[in-house]
Amino acid sequence: QAQLVESGGGLVQTGDSLMLSCADSGRTFSDYSRGWFRQTPGKEPEFVAYIDWRGRSKRYEDSVKGRFFISRDLAKNLVSLQMTSLKPEDTATYYCAAESSGLGSTHRQDYAHWGQGTQVTVSP
């Protein structure tokens, strides 16, 4: 049973915005860092963004810098990824993940807990 639940995906056009959310389910990950990864068919999941457990340290993959913004609501145990100026190459299944050190990581192997993913499709 998934312990992280993503929502907010959908079909949009180039230049549109979407907000993805990741909620804790069944347990809380308040002291974990949180990451977003994305995957397209036939490829390995790639890092998109992470935020540390306090919400102070953030990091982004180069292609999304200035367009995507990660945040977390510690009171609600909710992590969000605001995606703006979307491009067709952003089309993927987006996964939320939790990493126990709390410091954040760009490596998917460091994340032990994953959601089931939400599809984002950006049409030309």
Side-chain angles (χ1 to χ4, degrees), residues 10-18 38 67-68 83-92 94 119-124:
L11 172 63
V12 297
Q13 296 182 330
T14 296
D16 284 352
S17 299
L18 269 180
R38 63 187 180 186
R67 300 189 299 121
F68 290 13
M83 305 187 295
T84 67
S85 302
L86 283 161
K87 305 175 181 180
E89 51 263 44
D90 294 319
T91 295
Y94 283 72
Q119 178 66 36
V120 172
T121 304
V122 185
S123 64

Side-chain angles (χ1 to χ4, degrees), residues 33-37 47 49-51 70 79 95-99 105 111:
S33 69
R34 306 292 281 275
W36 285 96
F37 290 77
F47 167 75
Y50 76 64
I51 187 168
I70 190 170
V79 176
Y95 295 91
C96 174
E99 180 271 328
S105 173
Y111 292 81

Side-chain angles (χ1 to χ4, degrees), residues 47-111:
F47 167 75
V48 176
Y50 76 64
I51 187 168
D52 76 349
W53 74 278
R54 296 175 298 179
R56 297 180 185 177
S57 177
K58 305 173 185 179
R59 186 167 176 179
Y60 299 93
E61 192 270 329
D62 286 346
S63 70
V64 308
K65 284 180 181 177
R67 300 189 299 121
F68 290 13
F69 304 95
I70 190 170
S71 62
R72 70 188 300 169
D73 185 328
L74 297 174
K76 297 181 179 179
N77 293 315
L78 191 69
V79 176
S80 299
L81 184 69
Q82 175 69 51
M83 305 187 295
T84 67
S85 302
L86 283 161
K87 305 175 181 180
E89 51 263 44
D90 294 319
T91 295
T93 301
Y94 283 72
Y95 295 91
C96 174
E99 180 271 328
S100 62
S101 81
L103 301 178
S105 173
T106 63
H107 304 290
R108 58 186 173 88
Q109 295 88 342
D110 292 334
Y111 292 81

